[in-house]
Amino acid sequence: MACFLVPTAEAVVTTIATKVIESKEKENPSKAQAEEVQELPVTKVPFSRKMKWLNSMLWGGSALLAFEHVWHGEVVPFFPFLTAAEDPASAAEMLHEMATAGVLMAVLVTAVWGCIVATVNFMEKRAAEGNTVKE
Amino acid sequence: MTLLTSITAAVICTIIWYRSEQRSEMKLGFLCLMFWSASLMWLVDAFFEYAELGADYFAPEAADMLNDLYLGLSVVALGLIIWLVVLLIRDPKGIVRDTLFRKNQ
């Protein structure tokens, strides 16, 4: 009914967080940039870039899911935009769906992103260890 | 069917991303993440539908299947359009900029 609104709300928050992290990284050159200065072959992926992966997942997935809701007539281009919001019984059902399916969607996407980031961190660590051994 | 279509699109995009040398310039990673993320969201939808319908979930009516396939293909088309718009706006190779601001010679 409106489950895509939960990942969309998360996308808004993560996009703002990404902008903040990005500006902080520019102010204080990170370890990643420090490594580049030392001309080591391995560089760390900045956290802001990892956050951009999450933003792409949340915005992209939500957009496609929103289209599905338009397809099924659950989202309309006039007020109140959600057909379920027209009467209290449907609104309660919609809120229940958002609290269950919507939250689970947001959690699952974030968990998968967390696994990707953990894998990348592990690979960076291993690559850095490899360089230390070579030196 | 929508889930299957989006997973198929995600797998194809990931293979193209893996094989392409211009993956970064072409923003193929964004396309992959978008389709994978949508697939995850539809997986959750499918999970809830399965919890409600049980085994009937795997035996849909032919008309429903056709409609879902049509929706899935439309979703893939929309995903490709979003990717194209992002690619043209970011314009990593500067082709759009060059074309728009090229001086007449």
Side-chain angles (χ1 to χ4, degrees):
Chain A
M1 285 179 168
C3 48
F4 70 96
L5 288 178
V6 180
T8 308
E10 191 191 341
V12 171
V13 174
T14 57
T15 304
I16 294 167
T18 306
K19 294 285 173 199
V20 173
I21 292 166
E22 215 168 19
S23 65
K24 277 187 180 174
E25 280 176 350
K26 277 179 187 166
E27 280 171 19
N28 311 312
S30 65
K31 202 181 165 188
Q33 285 160 315
E35 280 178 358
E36 276 179 309
V37 170
Q38 288 169 13
E39 291 178 4
L40 286 175
V42 176
T43 54
K44 276 184 85 173
V45 179
F47 190 66
S48 60
R49 197 172 157 211
K50 290 170 185 167
M51 285 292 287
K52 280 178 186 170
W53 299 341
L54 180 62
N55 293 340
S56 297
M57 290 175 87
L58 290 169
W59 282 118
S62 301
L64 297 184
L65 216 70
F67 175 73
E68 189 225 324
H69 287 73
V70 173
W71 183 280
H72 289 132
E74 291 165 349
V75 175
V76 285
F78 44 82
F79 191 79
F81 305 108
L82 301 165
T83 46
E86 281 166 0
D87 68 283
S90 301
E93 201 182 327
M94 176 185 76
L95 290 173
H96 179 259
E97 199 196 85
M98 283 170 72
T100 50
V103 169
L104 194 61
M105 282 173 186
V107 168
L108 184 65
V109 170
T110 312
V112 168
W113 169 78
C115 290
I116 296 170
V117 169
T119 310
V120 170
N121 287 349
F122 177 72
M123 287 164 76
E124 284 170 349
K125 220 175 183 179
R126 278 193 65 176
E129 280 170 8
N131 279 331
T132 316
V133 172
K134 276 181 192 171
E135 282 172 17
Chain B
M1 207 65 182
T2 314
L3 173 64
L4 275 178
T5 317
S6 68
I7 287 178
T8 309
V11 168
I12 292 170
C13 287
T14 308
I15 291 168
I16 294 170
W17 172 83
Y18 190 81
R19 289 178 60 93
S20 173
E21 285 178 7
Q22 294 184 319
R23 62 181 73 86
S24 181
E25 285 175 338
M26 294 300 290
K27 303 267 168 217
L28 288 172
F30 169 70
L31 190 63
C32 292
L33 288 175
M34 181 165 54
F35 282 135
W36 278 120
S37 173
S39 302
L40 286 173
M41 291 181 187
W42 271 306
L43 186 69
V44 172
D45 241 6
F47 172 77
F48 277 93
E49 224 171 310
Y50 176 74
E52 195 183 311
L53 301 174
D56 287 347
Y57 173 76
F58 298 106
E61 295 287 326
D64 290 343
M65 256 172 73
L66 195 66
N67 185 261
D68 275 356
L69 176 66
Y70 187 26
L71 169 62
L73 293 174
S74 304
V75 161
V76 172
L78 178 70
L80 290 173
I81 289 168
I82 292 171
W83 166 71
L84 198 62
V85 169
V86 169
L87 183 70
L88 292 178
I89 289 173
R90 296 274 172 91
D91 193 20
K93 287 187 169 182
I95 291 168
V96 177
R97 259 192 312 274
D98 284 355
T99 310
L100 288 176
F101 303 112
R102 187 175 50 197
K103 286 177 185 169
N104 291 329
Q105 289 175 347

